[in-house]
Amino acid sequence: MPADLVLLSARLLDPVTGELLPYSALAADGGRITHLGDDRQARTMAGPATTVIDLKGAVVTPGFVDGHLHPVSGAERTTGVDLSACTDLAAVREALAREAGRLAPGAWLRGWGLDPNVFGAEPVTAAALEPSLDGIPAAIDLFDAHSMLASARALELAGIDGPRRFEQAAEIVCDADGRPTGLLLEDAACELVDAVAPRPTAAELRERTAAVLRGMAAAGLTGGHAMDANGDSLAVFEALEASGALPLRFRVAPWCQPGADADAVAELIRLQGTGGRHWRVAGVKMFMDGTIDNGTAWLERPDCHGESTHSFWPDPQEYTRVVGELHRAGVPTATHAIGDAAVRHVLDSVEKALAGGDTGVRHRVEHIETVPDDTVHRFARLGVVASMQPTHCCEFTRADHTDNWSRRLGEERASRAWRCHDLWEAGARVVLGSDWPIAPYPPLAVMAGGRHRRPSRDLTQPPHGIDQALTPLRALQAVTVNAAWAAGEEHEAGRLAVGHRADLTVLADNPLAVPDTGLAELPVLLTVLAGRPTHRDAAL
């Protein structure tokens, strides 16, 4: 039978060795690689319906996989004004004023990507933005997606007039007189405003998500580990695939929050393995803390504001119990843990679960922003995946530690920022991701950040912790072979081999030979999912 896809005149890059394979052509059929050889052999596999592409010397790698992203909730969150490029308060106010001028009377203003560093040493408050809002109800997400600034009118509509207690770690930040400042920390508080703000219809959310996914495919992504199976996201994946608008392969982890009862955990276990052709529920997403910038991380010592002293789960031992139950059921966990105490507790919990029997489950820790040496060396021993986002270090911190993240931690802990190199050297499986919409999703930019550790807006700036940079080969492995291993798919994904999935990314040049600071601009010429192009540059 003829192949579905034949690629000719290619350079095939092996992400395990970093060497080019001794072949110039690839053929795929039924979603799998069926042939690696020369052009003459491959041409004989083409039929009338075969897609044949002359790559003219372009480089083929296994398809890039983002190890941590939020495609559906991110598609909703990134509506409104994008503030991620604003580096000072004046720019934020100007952007908000422009957006406010376009709104219909009574409409809400939504914004996202706000960097708390724009406030300098001043408190993060909605009052600083009110001159641009002029009584408009506004909900503006800070870049970490764990906090929001709500305008006075938005607070009024949500009925927020003072502090409240929540079952999980969350806060309505108030001034000394008990008046809300507009800063809402963590989901339980932010949801009070989201509940009264306009939401997109199901059709609008599907359309917006489809547009985002097209952009991801054009950036070279063939898959992602999606951390947002909450809400209607599973229905969105199902609808997109049914309409032929799902150009990435997703491994989806639904959330387990504090207070989850036996029925809730049983339902999470039941959902495992459900899905469609290119998406399935695999694993459970949990939270052990919030963020350092908000003062909601869990640190072994308080931050320099006296904050970040508690876990997200009011009873950390209840988290440990749930991890053990999921482990025994063969369900992998992916736990958000940013602070050193949070990471330590996750590892302690996995170790306790393993003591009851190794079920072959590969648990993960997400983010790992600051940890001491003894914690670094536990990842490999316990077989826990280190899922990291180096662009967060690049974009939101500074080499001189004058940023909000570093000031809160103090010099000692800030010097342990995003220890990608140390974790790798200690034997951990490091997987890279963007955490989109927290940071941009293009995988070449994520790999570049792991290599140069500089802010993308100004690559002349010094790197933050260059000793923690990854080599070009390791950065490539972190979005190919390691991502496959983390998913338990190393025997069918992450390499260019006969029988492996025909998920491919094609680049204009060898990413291992491109300078660190030029990698993000390397053209993506072709993206292939299961042997079918999802993006094709006009040059091909």
Side-chain angles (χ1 to χ4, degrees):
M1 294 293 292
D4 293 327
L5 175 72
V6 170
L7 301 180
L8 305 170
S9 302
R11 290 184 286 164
L12 307 181
L13 180 60
D14 180 6
V16 175
T17 65
E19 301 295 327
L20 294 174
L21 296 171
Y23 311 116
S24 63
L26 176 153
D29 189 60
R32 302 275 172 169
I33 298 172
T34 56
H35 174 77
L36 298 172
D38 61 30
D39 286 14
R40 181 187 59 80
Q41 294 169 322
R43 287 183 189 278
T44 67
M45 300 178 181
T50 302
T51 299
V52 180
I53 303 176
D54 184 346
L55 294 183
K56 305 171 186 175
V59 174
V60 181
T61 73
F64 295 157
V65 175
D66 190 310
H68 185 124
L69 77 173
H70 305 268
V72 180
S73 64
E76 180 175 356
R77 188 178 296 276
T78 53
T79 56
V81 58
D82 179 2
L83 302 172
S84 60
C86 298
T87 57
D88 56 43
L89 202 52
V92 172
R93 289 170 174 160
E94 182 180 350
L96 292 176
R98 283 198 305 271
E99 184 73 6
R102 291 193 285 262
L103 295 176
W108 280 64
L109 186 153
R110 297 303 302 241
W112 59 282
L114 178 61
D115 186 343
N117 285 299
V118 303
F119 294 88
E122 296 302 312
V124 179
T125 66
L129 309 180
E130 287 290 352
S132 299
L133 300 176
D134 193 25
I136 292 171
I140 300 164
D141 289 326
L142 274 73
F143 79 85
D144 61 6
H146 282 250
S147 51
M148 171 192 291
L149 273 177
S151 69
R153 179 59 176 154
L155 292 174
E156 180 185 357
L157 292 172
I160 299 173
D161 56 8
R164 298 189 191 182
R165 292 182 61 85
F166 298 96
E167 289 188 6
Q168 56 190 243
E171 182 182 359
I172 297 170
V173 178
C174 296
D175 62 20
D177 297 320
R179 293 187 297 263
T181 66
L183 180 60
L184 307 176
L185 304 180
E186 299 302 331
D187 283 351
C190 297
E191 286 169 359
L192 298 174
V193 169
D194 283 332
V196 298
R199 301 288 298 274
T201 66
E204 288 170 340
L205 181 57
R206 287 196 301 271
E207 182 178 346
R208 168 65 180 155
T209 305
V212 168
L213 298 186
R214 288 194 296 270
M216 289 181 174
L221 282 172
T222 63
H225 298 169
M227 300 293 173
D228 64 349
N230 49 318
D232 298 327
S233 62
L234 295 183
V236 172
F237 288 125
E238 184 175 22
L240 290 177
E241 185 165 66
S243 64
L246 189 66
L248 274 73
R249 189 187 304 275
F250 284 111
R251 171 185 173 89
V252 189
W255 287 11
C256 181
Q257 297 277 49
D261 60 16
D263 289 343
V265 176
E267 176 63 10
L268 289 170
I269 294 171
R270 185 197 67 78
L271 279 172
Q272 301 301 307
T274 60
R277 183 182 178 194
H278 292 145
W279 69 276
R280 65 185 174 90
V281 175
V284 169
K285 170 72 181 300
M286 305 174 79
F287 293 82
M288 203 65 244
D289 65 352
T291 69
I292 287 166
D293 282 286
N294 276 347
T296 57
W298 187 18
L299 298 172
E300 294 179 336
R301 303 188 316 275
D303 67 17
C304 295
H305 294 198
E307 297 177 334
S308 285
T309 58
H310 302 291
S311 75
F312 185 73
W313 285 62
D315 180 3
Q317 295 311 313
E318 181 63 11
Y319 163 88
T320 301
R321 185 194 67 76
V322 173
V323 168
E325 184 175 352
L326 293 170
H327 176 83
R328 289 189 295 274
V331 178
T333 59
T335 303
H336 169 121
I338 280 178
D340 45 18
V343 176
R344 189 183 300 278
H345 188 80
V346 175
L347 296 176
D348 288 346
S349 300
V350 171
E351 187 164 27
K352 184 174 182 179
L354 287 169
D358 187 352
T359 59
V361 173
R362 293 170 181 173
H363 299 285
R364 305 161 49 127
V365 180
E366 311 296 317
H367 309 311
I368 319 167
E369 293 186 4
T370 177
V371 287
D373 291 343
D374 65 328
T375 300
V376 166
H377 291 279
R378 297 180 67 192
F379 278 81
R381 178 166 59 83
L382 297 173
V384 174
V385 174
S387 172
M388 305 184 75
Q389 299 77 41
T391 46
H392 295 195
C393 181
C394 300
E395 307 302 340
F396 307 125
T397 72
R398 301 173 188 145
D400 63 3
H401 294 170
T402 58
D403 59 278
N404 181 60
W405 185 93
S406 300
R407 292 198 311 270
R408 275 186 171 271
L409 284 177
E411 191 63 27
E412 176 192 352
R413 289 179 291 194
S415 68
R416 304 195 299 239
W418 286 268
R419 299 179 67 176
C420 300
H421 169 84
D422 288 348
L423 281 157
W424 200 299
E425 286 293 307
R429 294 272 186 169
V430 177
V431 173
L432 297 186
S434 63
D435 199 12
W436 186 83
I438 312 308
Y441 57 69
L444 288 170
V446 172
M447 286 188 281
R451 287 164 54 170
H452 61 57
R453 296 175 69 97
R454 303 171 188 267
S456 61
R457 65 174 63 94
D458 185 359
L459 293 172
T460 66
Q461 292 295 312
H464 189 167
I466 194 60
D467 59 313
Q468 294 304 320
L470 295 175
T471 65
L473 180 57
R474 286 180 172 180
L476 176 63
Q477 291 171 340
V479 299
T480 53
V481 290
N482 284 9
W485 189 91
E489 298 172 344
E490 65 270 27
H491 300 300
E492 63 173 349
R495 297 193 66 179
L496 299 178
V498 171
H500 276 48
R501 291 173 181 160
D503 295 354
L504 312 168
T505 303
V506 180
L507 307 170
D509 202 351
N510 188 337
L512 305 184
V514 173
D516 297 343
T517 54
L519 181 64
E521 304 305 317
L522 182 62
V524 177
L525 301 181
L526 182 71
T527 310
V528 174
L529 177 69
R532 299 187 181 278
T534 56
H535 161 73
R536 184 172 177 176
D537 188 88
L540 294 179

